[in-house]
Amino acid sequence: MTALPADELTELAKHVLAFEHDRARHDRTKEAEIRVEFDMSPTRYYQVLNRVIDTPAALAYDPQLVTRLQRLRRARTSARAARTFVAPPADPEGREEER
């Protein structure tokens, strides 16, 4: 998806933004809704959504929603980056367990 002028959004981009805006009214799981509504995998949907919310056109179309989605994405990215994986502690006597 290429950057579009602020007054132009594809129908798919508008549909994705409307879906995110109205998400609270859906009673099925979001992944199931994505498959039904867009006929694509959730992974592909989120790729499209991330491209859409990075466009000036999307920001002009629905600034409050796009700003919220960008903020949530930054929070998820920061949380992933902050995760640390710690090795299990060594045996205090220096021996490994026999299996």
Side-chain angles (χ1 to χ4, degrees), residues 20-33:
E20 287 296 322
H21 188 268
D22 296 339
R23 180 63 189 112
R25 70 177 173 81
H26 298 285
D27 57 353
R28 289 183 276 183
T29 66
K30 189 170 185 179
E31 289 76 19
E33 280 292 320

Side-chain angles (χ1 to χ4, degrees), residues 1-10 13 51-58:
M1 206 177 273
T2 59
L4 299 171
D7 61 342
E8 292 182 28
L9 273 181
T10 64
R51 282 194 209 127
V52 168
I53 65 174
D54 285 337
T55 64

Side-chain angles (χ1 to χ4, degrees), residues 5 7 11 17 20 23 26-27 33 40 42 49 59 68-69 71 75 86 91:
D7 61 342
E11 287 304 312
L17 291 174
E20 287 296 322
R23 180 63 189 112
H26 298 285
D27 57 353
E33 280 292 320
M40 64 176 72
L49 174 62
L59 190 59
R68 180 176 62 84
L69 293 171
R71 186 179 64 247
V86 179
D91 184 359

